[in-house]
Amino acid sequence: MIMEFDLEKFILEITRVLVFRDTEDVFNKLSEIISENCGALSSSLMMFEENRKLLRLVGTSLVDKTWVRKLKIPLSKFENKDFNLLLGNELGVLKGNPNNLGIVFPVIFENKLVGALFLEVSNRKDLEEFEKVFKGFQEILGILMVFLMEQTELKYENIRLKLIESLDINVVEVEKIEDIFQRFLERVSRILEVEYTAIWTFESENLVLKAWKGFSENEIINYIVPKDNKLLDMINLEKPRLIIDKDSFEFLKRLLNLKFKSVILCPLYVDEKPFGLIMLANKIETKHYRPYKHLDEFELSMVINSSRKLSLLIENFINKKKLEELIETQKKQIQKLNAVYKIIQAMNYSYDLNNIFKILLIGLVSELGFGFDRVLLLLRDKNKQILKGKMWLGISEDRKDMEIYEKLKKHLSIYGDFADYLRQEALSLDLSGYLNSNLENIQINYIGNDIFERVVLRKALVNVQPQLIEEKRNELYQLIKILGTDSFVCIPLTGKQEVLGVIIADNKYSQKILSESDIKLLKLLSSSAGLVIETRMSLLEIQEKNREIERKSNYYERLSKFTEELLNSLDAAIIVIKTDGMIIEWNKRAEEFFGKTREQVIGTHLKTLGTEFAELYDISASVYYKANKGELDKIYESDDDTIVLNEYFLSPRYGKYFNIKFTPLRNINKNTFDGIIIMLEDVTEYRNLTRELQQQEKLAMLGEVAARVAHEIRNPLTVIGGFANRLKKKISDDKSKHYLEIISDEVKRLEEILDEILEFGKDYETVEFENFDFNKLVREILELYGDKVLEKSTKLKTEIPEKEIIVFGDRKRLKQVLINLLKNAIDATNRGKIDIKVYETDKNACFSIKNNGKPIPEELKDKIFMPFFTTKTDGTGLGLAISKKIVEDEHSGKLYLETGDDWNKFVVEIPKKGVGKDEKEKGINSG
């Protein structure tokens, strides 16, 4: 399973390994960390050996480490292929399961291949996701592998050299590289018995004397080697040289005021690059017999070995510094990454837009955040196309600003959580100092300004430096004058679609420089903070619109009649025809109702649209005629010159009922009628709702009457049953006993019918809501009635998801509904088939039960949910009525019937969150 990659956690774990673990096992541990963090089945690391052109396995997360350092893959395996490919038998030993897949990713550092990462995956679907995860830590992995490779080489090279030489300098204890040079020269001088030793190194392309032994500063002529001095040629030759010719020392005498007898010059290379030069001069006179007194090939070989040792020491020292810098940098970046998360977290918890702005500014200037000296917030005015000053926070020459800044800095240690600090300090932060008093003067026109067009229109973060200032000084003059610095960063606050504002941040006083990692983290903060601000702005806009609607509601109440007419006209289809029947207006609602666009009907005769419109035309002609004659046909309900048709069924083609109003189109100037306005209001839903309401009222009344009758019948029925049972005990006549048993059975049946009647009339308040698994409930019912299905030789097909569907409702009542539907399906099916399906939508849990057989006739569909209506010979007709009451009245759901050529299907839809009595009443009142 692919996990969300946590870069911060990954870096922390790697840092612990580098600091505390033995390097022998570091690649294995690194492989384990990669597996744990990216969710791969296993991972293995391979190092690229350039001289041999192959990849060697150096670490794996597998338990079996047999192939570590033994497995080698030639680079030719990847020639003319995509490097990121699946490997089969070549790396089969690196898979815990041979049936799994393996994918290899190249590890690149400074555009060079340094190794590869092998990941074991279970299926091809995960490959693209693993590529995304790998990109998250590819760069850091490259740095680590290069570093570890170099450290490994240094370690084994040092071990080998220690066996040959006695030079051993602990670079961990050395603070400056010059100390290494000095110790090196002291030991070489002593071991090789040399009079003078010196080391030159390159600095800014110059060769500079950095350390010496055997002579004083007074004897130094030139610290920097001139460009024409032959000493530079010694480095270019790349080979050590032994000089014993006295006439060949002139170039050295121009640098050092010494008497040279024999000299060894050895170029010093670090990481295969020219680093400097080692000089040994003059053999010291010893007590041992020597045929000659100058340096010879032995000292030359020792210098070569020593120079290699020194190169390794220097390289080790540099790598130590790099590692220290890398660890320190990563710590700072982790802190800043955490700060981004905490800033966004604090912003998300606040609903006041000004507090959100303050949280962002505090996070940017805080030491636990990005540590900027000052930050300025500019908000975008799209209409005026300008950036306007909003807030400014940070170091200032003003006393009040500095008090605010110092107070924030002091309070930082009080809080245990950075997000809490940001939220609490933002609430009490007073930004009325010098910095914010100047904000009203800041208005930047971003159109035509190259810098701010990039920031605002292209959503780019721009790091402004002095060189850019020189090029764009006129465009940035206003901002430079206010900031008083030529180095700052412009950070866009980017929403989903556009930039909402810009943060200007600088380090005018501390002169801290932004790193590439800082820029990346600021981009992350830019988009995240922008989305939070955009969300809050949208929320405030919605709240303001709601308040505006509320303010206008009183006005609408005072003009209720006018508003009602206006709203009715907007919600109705408007057709305007001339006196000859030609259509001159056809609004959007008419397009929706009748499926014809305005362009299609304008200029055509109303009759050409169909017979139903021909009827409307005939009525329109009557209106026109009667209006001109001053008479009205009595068969129409009318008011003045208007004819109204209520709940008019236009035609089966549209299947809708309309309230239709025919009004003459008056020309006030000419005092004539130029046509007819036909307004059609769709009242189909209203008509259906009215009928449904009437039906519910009837059902409620019927339920109440049935409940009262049931209560009245229950007592005498109980008496009849009781006396029948007593008589059975006293009468010995078998025939009489038989009759009494019939009476008792019928009494029981009547009591069951009464129970159903009382259940139908039960009050809604008796419902008890709880959270439960809807799927589990369905499975329980299927288990209860499984035998009954088998008895009727009925095939049962179920489709129930494994995932839970949690519903808030009355479990017992809904169980009764599902049992009723299942029993009805079983009774209606013999040697047939029943299909049961459970599924969910965004809001509802759904249950459908379908059985094959004769479909319920169309004329009975509305009746089957009526109380006491049944097609069974032994039923009460209350089962479906009670079920509909439970689903729709008690749970605000739906229970309906669908039919086909040879099947019936009942569908139940229950809101997953549940709707109780109070919520239902609120919904009714608001409707």
Side-chain angles (χ1 to χ4, degrees):
M1 176 182 177
I2 300 173
M3 299 171 60
E4 184 176 353
F5 186 76
D6 189 335
L7 181 60
E8 178 181 347
K9 177 185 174 185
F10 178 75
I11 294 173
L12 284 172
E13 291 181 356
I14 294 302
T15 303
R16 293 193 191 100
V17 170
L18 294 177
V19 174
F20 299 108
R21 288 189 61 84
D22 185 353
T23 55
E24 289 291 334
D25 194 41
V26 69
F27 285 107
N28 289 331
K29 185 60 181 176
L30 180 56
S31 300
E32 293 170 6
I33 291 172
I34 292 171
S35 293
E36 292 170 2
N37 280 270
C38 72
L41 298 175
S42 70
S43 67
S44 301
L45 286 169
M46 290 175 280
M47 194 71 74
F48 176 57
E49 295 181 4
E50 186 172 6
N51 58 333
R52 304 180 68 184
K53 302 298 180 185
L54 57 80
L55 290 165
R56 184 186 298 273
L57 179 66
V58 294
T60 180
S61 64
L62 293 171
V63 177
D64 184 6
K65 313 290 185 186
T66 305
W67 291 95
V68 174
R69 298 184 185 171
K70 296 179 181 178
L71 181 63
K72 296 174 288 186
I73 301 295
L75 199 61
S76 59
K77 290 284 186 180
F78 301 94
E79 289 180 0
N80 302 320
K81 298 178 183 176
D82 183 5
F83 203 104
N84 294 16
L85 67 112
L86 296 172
L87 291 180
N89 297 328
E90 291 90 347
L91 293 177
V93 295
L94 296 183
K95 293 187 290 186
N97 186 333
N99 296 323
N100 289 334
L101 303 175
I103 184 168
V104 176
F105 295 105
V107 179
I108 308 295
F109 178 73
E110 295 183 349
N111 296 323
K112 292 182 180 180
L113 178 66
V114 297
L117 172 64
F118 175 83
L119 294 177
E120 181 182 3
V121 298
S122 58
N123 55 69
R124 290 179 177 270
K125 183 180 178 182
D126 292 339
L127 297 181
E128 292 183 4
E129 292 298 323
F130 273 111
E131 289 181 5
K132 295 177 183 177
V133 172
F134 176 72
K135 289 177 182 178
F137 64 93
Q138 183 179 17
E139 182 179 353
I140 292 175
L141 183 59
I143 294 171
L144 286 170
M145 289 188 71
V146 169
F147 171 73
L148 292 172
M149 180 173 62
E150 292 173 350
Q151 289 297 301
T152 302
E153 291 174 357
L154 282 174
K155 177 179 178 179
Y156 288 103
E157 184 68 6
N158 286 338
I159 292 172
R160 188 179 68 82
L161 290 174
K162 285 176 184 178
L163 298 175
I164 303 172
E165 303 171 7
S166 61
L167 294 173
D168 187 15
I169 299 172
N170 188 357
V171 296
V172 176
E173 300 174 354
V174 177
E175 291 296 327
K176 298 184 298 183
I177 196 167
E178 287 80 6
D179 294 338
I180 295 177
F181 297 155
Q182 204 61 47
R183 294 184 190 182
F184 176 85
L185 294 180
E186 287 174 358
R187 297 180 187 185
V188 168
S189 298
R190 176 171 51 82
I191 294 171
L192 297 183
E193 299 175 320
V194 177
E195 185 178 6
Y196 307 128
T197 56
I199 293 178
W200 288 266
T201 62
F202 282 104
E203 286 186 5
S204 302
E205 299 182 357
N206 290 318
L207 195 59
V208 181
L209 182 63
K210 299 297 291 184
W212 58 90
K213 176 71 175 172
F215 56 90
S216 66
E217 291 187 30
N218 295 330
E219 296 172 295
I220 300 173
I221 300 172
N222 280 320
Y223 283 92
I224 300 175
V225 178
K227 296 295 184 182
D228 60 349
N229 193 284
K230 291 183 179 180
L231 189 63
L232 289 168
D233 296 335
M234 301 296 105
I235 296 175
N236 296 332
L237 292 174
E238 299 183 3
K239 292 183 179 180
R241 183 176 176 186
L242 173 61
I243 305 174
I244 56 176
D245 183 3
K246 293 182 180 181
D247 296 331
S248 302
F249 299 132
E250 189 61 33
F251 67 96
L252 285 173
K253 290 181 179 180
R254 287 192 291 163
L255 302 175
L256 301 171
N257 187 18
L258 302 174
K259 186 178 181 180
F260 294 101
K261 300 175 182 177
S262 60
V263 175
I264 293 177
L265 296 172
C266 181
L268 185 61
Y269 281 78
V270 175
D271 196 18
E272 300 182 356
K273 297 177 182 178
F275 186 84
L277 188 74
I278 302 172
M279 182 197 77
L280 275 68
N282 302 350
K283 189 74 173 177
I284 295 175
E285 191 73 36
T286 65
K287 297 178 181 180
H288 305 289
Y289 170 78
R290 288 175 61 90
Y292 49 85
K293 298 180 181 180
H294 60 76
L295 299 171
D296 61 9
E297 294 294 332
F298 172 75
E299 282 81 13
L300 180 62
S301 66
M302 291 297 290
V303 171
I304 293 172
N305 289 330
S306 299
S307 68
R308 292 171 184 168
K309 172 65 177 180
L310 180 57
S311 295
L312 291 174
L313 289 173
I314 294 170
E315 189 173 353
N316 206 11
F317 178 82
I318 293 172
N319 286 335
K320 184 199 77 167
K321 288 296 184 183
K322 285 182 179 178
L323 178 59
E324 290 172 352
E325 292 172 1
L326 176 63
I327 293 173
E328 187 61 30
T329 300
Q330 294 301 332
K331 285 181 180 178
K332 290 179 180 179
Q333 294 308 311
I334 290 169
Q335 173 190 312
K336 290 178 181 178
L337 184 61
N338 182 64
V340 171
Y341 169 73
K342 293 295 183 180
I343 292 170
I344 300 304
Q345 183 185 26
M347 292 174 71
N348 273 316
Y349 275 113
S350 180
Y351 290 91
D352 182 87
L353 197 56
N354 280 330
N355 276 346
I356 289 174
F357 292 149
K358 291 178 185 178
I359 287 169
L360 179 57
L361 298 190
I362 295 171
L364 286 168
V365 301
S366 173
E367 292 177 1
L368 288 182
F370 283 84
F372 283 108
D373 290 352
R374 303 179 302 174
V375 285
L376 164 64
L377 171 62
L378 305 170
L379 292 183
R380 180 184 182 186
D381 186 331
K382 284 183 64 178
N383 296 326
K384 296 182 180 179
Q385 297 183 330
I386 61 172
L387 294 171
K388 298 174 63 177
K390 178 65 178 177
M391 291 182 183
W392 203 348
L393 177 64
I395 301 172
S396 166
E397 291 81 3
D398 183 76
R399 182 181 60 82
K400 187 170 183 179
D401 285 331
M402 285 307 298
E403 287 177 358
I404 293 171
Y405 180 81
E406 293 297 332
K407 180 181 176 182
L408 288 172
K409 189 174 180 181
K410 182 179 179 181
H411 288 183
L412 184 59
S413 60
I414 299 174
Y415 297 88
D417 182 74
F418 188 51
D420 289 339
Y421 163 76
L422 295 172
R423 288 198 301 271
Q424 296 300 326
E425 291 301 311
L427 290 172
S428 60
L429 181 61
D430 176 19
L431 293 177
S432 59
Y434 166 78
L435 292 179
N436 286 278
S437 65
N438 288 321
L439 281 181
E440 59 187 24
N441 300 322
I442 301 179
Q443 288 192 358
I444 300 173
N445 190 330
Y446 56 82
I447 299 298
N449 186 315
D450 288 347
I451 301 297
F452 285 103
E453 274 194 356
R454 286 172 60 192
V455 178
V456 177
L457 302 182
R458 302 179 197 171
K459 307 176 185 178
L461 185 148
V462 178
N463 189 13
V464 178
Q465 294 300 315
Q467 183 179 354
L468 186 59
I469 292 286
E470 289 300 319
E471 297 175 7
K472 307 291 182 181
R473 181 168 293 278
N474 292 335
E475 297 176 8
L476 298 173
Y477 174 77
Q478 181 186 4
L479 193 58
I480 296 170
K481 184 177 179 182
I482 295 169
L483 295 176
T485 180
D486 57 1
S487 297
F488 52 89
V489 61
C490 301
I491 309 164
L493 296 175
T494 308
K496 289 183 179 179
Q497 302 295 334
E498 59 188 6
V499 170
L500 308 171
V502 177
I503 293 285
I504 308 295
D506 67 48
N507 288 314
K508 176 181 178 181
Y509 301 99
S510 65
Q511 295 296 309
K512 289 186 290 189
I513 299 174
L514 288 178
S515 66
E516 288 298 321
S517 298
D518 290 335
I519 297 295
K520 291 178 181 178
L521 290 174
L522 285 172
K523 288 179 180 179
L524 174 62
L525 179 64
S526 160
S527 58
S528 301
L531 289 174
V532 175
I533 293 170
E534 183 179 55
T535 302
R536 292 299 179 270
M537 283 182 169
S538 300
L539 180 61
L540 291 174
E541 184 178 351
I542 292 170
Q543 290 173 345
E544 182 59 33
K545 287 182 179 178
N546 288 338
R547 285 192 290 269
E548 182 66 22
I549 292 169
E550 189 176 348
R551 286 193 293 269
K552 290 181 178 179
S553 64
N554 294 329
Y555 173 75
Y556 291 147
E557 288 177 6
R558 291 193 300 271
L559 300 174
S560 59
K561 184 176 180 179
F562 172 78
T563 304
E564 183 178 355
E565 292 175 352
L566 178 60
L567 291 176
N568 286 338
S569 67
L570 292 175
D571 197 37
I574 303 296
I575 304 173
V576 182
I577 60 173
K578 295 195 296 185
T579 55
D580 59 359
M582 302 302 289
I583 300 172
I584 59 174
E585 187 56 62
W586 181 278
N587 74 348
K588 289 290 184 182
R589 187 63 71 180
E591 290 182 342
E592 295 173 7
F593 284 168
F594 307 119
K596 298 180 185 296
T597 64
R598 186 176 186 276
E599 290 75 13
Q600 289 175 321
V601 299
I602 293 294
T604 63
H605 199 282
L606 186 62
K607 282 187 173 182
T608 61
L609 301 183
T611 56
E612 59 273 12
F613 290 97
E615 295 175 7
L616 297 182
Y617 173 72
D618 292 340
I619 298 172
S620 301
S622 176
V623 171
Y624 178 71
Y625 175 77
K626 298 298 181 184
N628 278 308
K629 292 293 184 179
E631 301 175 0
L632 291 171
D633 198 321
K634 294 181 181 179
I635 65 171
Y636 298 120
E637 181 184 338
S638 63
D639 181 15
D640 296 330
D641 297 334
T642 301
I643 291 179
V644 178
L645 304 179
N646 289 323
E647 295 188 9
Y648 183 85
F649 188 68
L650 194 57
S651 79
R653 176 161 57 147
Y654 300 109
K656 292 180 179 291
Y657 291 86
F658 293 94
N659 284 349
I660 307 177
K661 187 180 290 186
F662 300 84
T663 305
L665 179 62
R666 300 176 185 272
N667 188 325
I668 297 176
N669 295 327
K670 297 180 180 179
N671 196 26
T672 60
F673 294 100
D674 292 344
I676 302 294
I677 301 172
I678 307 173
M679 183 171 69
L680 300 97
E681 183 181 3
D682 183 2
V683 294
T684 306
E685 185 175 352
Y686 172 78
R687 179 177 180 273
N688 293 338
L689 288 173
T690 302
R691 290 193 172 189
E692 185 176 343
L693 182 59
Q694 292 171 350
Q695 187 67 27
Q696 288 180 352
E697 289 175 353
K698 288 180 182 179
L699 290 176
M701 186 179 296
L702 182 60
E704 185 177 348
V705 171
R708 290 181 180 178
V709 172
H711 278 296
E712 292 299 325
I713 293 176
R714 182 180 289 277
N715 290 333
L717 197 61
T718 303
V719 173
I720 293 170
F723 278 112
N725 289 330
R726 290 174 65 183
L727 285 173
K728 279 195 296 183
K729 296 176 181 178
K730 295 181 178 181
I731 295 176
S732 58
D733 181 25
D734 292 339
K735 189 172 184 180
S736 298
K737 278 188 174 182
H738 177 66
Y739 291 150
L740 289 171
E741 287 177 357
I742 292 174
I743 291 171
S744 297
D745 292 340
E746 291 303 310
V747 166
K748 287 180 181 178
R749 195 167 72 85
L750 286 172
E751 286 178 340
E752 291 175 356
I753 293 173
L754 288 178
D755 288 339
E756 289 190 359
I757 293 172
L758 289 172
E759 174 66 25
F760 177 72
K762 185 180 289 185
D763 187 11
Y764 181 78
E765 291 181 356
T766 59
V767 178
E768 296 180 359
F769 279 65
E770 62 177 320
N771 284 315
F772 66 91
D773 182 7
F774 193 69
N775 289 338
K776 186 176 180 181
L777 176 62
V778 175
R779 293 190 183 98
E780 287 179 8
I781 294 167
L782 292 175
E783 187 174 351
L784 287 173
Y785 287 87
D787 294 339
K788 192 169 183 180
V789 173
L790 294 174
E791 287 176 7
K792 299 197 72 176
S793 300
T794 298
K795 294 181 180 178
L796 179 64
K797 180 183 177 182
T798 61
E799 187 177 338
I800 305 173
E802 292 296 327
K803 179 185 175 184
E804 290 184 345
I805 300 178
I806 302 300
V807 171
F808 184 65
D810 191 317
R811 193 178 192 277
K812 293 181 180 178
R813 304 281 283 168
L814 291 176
K815 183 175 183 179
Q816 181 180 346
V817 172
L818 301 184
I819 288 174
N820 284 344
L821 295 177
L822 181 57
K823 287 172 66 178
N824 288 348
I826 294 171
D827 293 340
T829 308
N830 189 22
R831 296 183 179 275
K833 182 180 179 183
I834 297 175
D835 291 340
I836 292 177
K837 183 178 179 181
V838 181
Y839 55 98
E840 65 178 322
T841 62
D842 290 342
K843 296 182 179 179
N844 298 327
C846 304
F847 171 88
S848 70
I849 181 165
K850 175 180 176 184
N851 65 286
N852 62 342
K854 185 177 179 181
I856 295 173
E858 194 70 28
E859 62 272 12
L860 296 183
K861 280 188 176 180
D862 293 334
K863 295 181 180 180
I864 60 171
F865 294 107
M866 294 287 293
F868 307 111
F869 178 84
T870 181
T871 57
K872 300 178 183 179
T873 57
D874 59 346
T876 63
L878 287 173
L880 287 176
I882 291 171
S883 297
K884 193 171 184 69
K885 178 175 180 291
I886 293 171
V887 172
E888 297 188 355
D889 293 349
E890 299 177 7
H891 289 82
S892 296
K894 289 183 181 179
L895 172 58
Y896 54 91
L897 169 67
E898 295 178 352
T899 59
D901 293 336
D902 59 350
W903 53 268
N904 296 292
K905 182 168 75 171
F906 286 89
V907 180
V908 177
E909 296 178 0
I910 303 294
K912 290 187 284 188
K913 292 186 177 180
V915 180
K917 181 177 180 182
D918 294 340
E919 287 78 2
K920 283 176 66 64
E921 290 177 353
K922 288 179 184 177
I924 293 169
N925 293 333
S926 65

